[in-house]
Amino acid sequence: MQTSQRTVQVAVPIRTLQGLASIFEILHSVHLGRQDGQPDSGLSDHLVEGLIVSGRALVRSSADAMWGTE
């Protein structure tokens, strides 16, 4: 029965996963554009940093909800 309790504790809301997937997709696109030498990826460094911070906040909030961490 301990396995089922653990499964419940690690469940991440689907909206959080969808948000993270979107953030990663955008960041990956920017990364590839910069590797290809495209000077303007469509997003400023400030917006890229904002996406990184937002992704970290989504992960942190899920961890907090699951394990009560701060």
Side-chain angles (χ1 to χ4, degrees):
M1 292 298 175
Q2 193 170 9
T3 302
S4 64
Q5 290 175 349
R6 180 71 177 163
T7 302
V8 172
Q9 291 178 348
V10 296
V12 177
I14 189 70
R15 296 289 185 210
T16 300
L17 294 174
Q18 290 170 334
L20 286 170
S22 296
I23 288 170
F24 287 136
E25 187 172 338
I26 294 166
L27 291 173
H28 186 243
S29 176
V30 170
H31 174 71
L32 291 178
R34 289 180 179 175
Q35 278 188 330
D36 290 341
Q38 297 174 1
D40 182 18
S41 63
L43 291 178
S44 68
D45 289 341
H46 177 73
L47 290 176
V48 169
E49 181 66 25
L51 287 169
I52 293 168
V53 169
S54 297
R56 288 178 179 157
L58 282 171
V59 170
R60 192 175 302 117
S61 69
S62 291
D64 291 348
M66 288 187 295
W67 295 297
T69 61
E70 294 182 15

